[in-house]
Amino acid sequence: MKIKVKTLLSQILIIVLLLTGCGRPDSPAAAGTRSNDTSKKDDKGYITVGFSQVGAESDWRNINTESMKDSLCAENGYDLIYDDGQQKQQNQITAIRTFIQKEVDYIVLAPVIEDGWNTVLTEASDAGIPVILVDRMVNVSDPDLFTCWVGSDFELEGRKVCEWLNAFCKANRISGGEINIVNIMGTEGASAEIGRSRTLREAVRQYGWNLLDERSGEFTQAKGREVMSQFLKQYNNINVVYCENDNEAFGAIDAIEASGRTVGTDIKHGEIMVLAFDGSSDQAVEAVRSGRISCIGECNPLHGPRVEKIIRNLQNGITPDKYEYVDEDIFSAEPCVKSITVKGETYTVKLP
Ligand code: GZL
């Protein structure tokens, strides 16, 4: 059988291009961006990142995931392996072990809860793979088990919302003893839940509010509605609900209105005030502007650029800060509270 030399040569060329990745239009190698540095890259010049995400439980989480994928993309020189933990720690541990087996260059972890990470993070450390924490924190025996963390100060978020409620009460001559509040907590053991719940309990003691009950809404709208329905059946004097994220607040509002009550700040005349955290979705912005949610402590989900900058710095031998906190606002349409002060720092209350 006579094989045309030209065909054979073109086939050899295609194989060579595929093997060297040069045929890949977006690969750094093809773009001539391969440097002779010793930083971590795969054989095609990509930085491989294994990202273990909590799940897809909330608007905040989905916006966070999108931000991470947008930043850790092929055009920026990354080969991202994404895993949705579906809010289960065991899924995240399995994902991390897979990343280790794949010998990724970096592991990024958004830990669903704080405890239970010592073993798997030790395995990552033993494999020489840096772990970058994003959003929530881990409770480990040795902080060297992670390179750095970027996220929110959840206690500050909680203090801001509680100070807003205290300022609202003062402006409207409502005594602390008249506040009958329930807490729809986030996922129990998650940093955001720990911080926001702890500061609520401190404010309850400090301002004399009545904390009627606390139950987890798991940061979801469905569970938030279920928990609020239970609270409304159990207590006939609720006038404030503290929701540890927007989606729980949307669910709580559904339950409140289904019970025939209304949401708003006129708690002296039977309305139920809804407080929340995140403020990252259009629905949350609208809810604040319309007064259906009285106040939101902002929680910024856009960590993609921050994590990408951390990895880029590590690639260039620059040590990142161990802990990087993001700046956040407080949102409300209620005119009577213009600003709040937490630990000597004053925050202007903004319309989202
Ligand atoms: C906060 C984040 C929380 C959000 C929720 O940084 O961990 O988890 O407040 C999300 O919306 O589910």
Side-chain angles (χ1 to χ4, degrees), residues 17-32 42-46 74 78-80:
L17 282 172
L18 286 174
L19 287 173
T20 58
C22 291
R24 195 167 170 173
D26 58 359
S27 70
D42 68 12
D43 56 3
K44 296 184 181 59
Y46 281 87
Y78 295 93
D79 183 3
L80 179 68

Side-chain angles (χ1 to χ4, degrees), residues 53-79:
Q53 176 60 291
V54 167
E57 74 282 0
S58 64
D59 298 338
W60 186 100
R61 186 66 53 194
N62 295 334
I63 295 167
N64 177 253
T65 296
E66 193 177 332
S67 172
M68 298 291 286
K69 287 182 175 177
D70 286 350
S71 296
L72 302 174
C73 62
E75 289 71 25
N76 290 342
Y78 295 93
D79 183 3

Side-chain angles (χ1 to χ4, degrees), residues 56-119:
E57 74 282 0
S58 64
D59 298 338
W60 186 100
R61 186 66 53 194
N62 295 334
I63 295 167
N64 177 253
T65 296
E66 193 177 332
S67 172
M68 298 291 286
K69 287 182 175 177
D70 286 350
S71 296
L72 302 174
C73 62
E75 289 71 25
N76 290 342
Y78 295 93
D79 183 3
L80 179 68
I81 308 169
Y82 170 77
D83 183 87
D84 174 344
Q86 296 177 352
Q87 290 228 80
K88 291 181 174 59
Q89 181 176 40
Q90 189 50 52
N91 290 346
Q92 293 196 281
I93 290 171
T94 301
I96 291 169
R97 288 185 169 137
T98 302
F99 298 152
I100 293 169
Q101 284 170 353
K102 288 176 181 280
E103 297 181 345
V104 298
D105 296 319
Y106 297 91
I107 289 172
V108 176
L109 170 64
V112 59
I113 55 174
E114 293 199 347
D115 294 333
W117 301 100
N118 274 311
T119 302

Side-chain angles (χ1 to χ4, degrees), residues 57-58 60-61 135-136 154 192 196 219 244-245 278 299:
E57 74 282 0
S58 64
W60 186 100
R61 186 66 53 194
D135 178 24
R136 302 175 188 175
F154 302 114
R196 293 165 187 168
F219 287 129
E244 293 192 350
N245 84 331
D278 292 345
C299 185

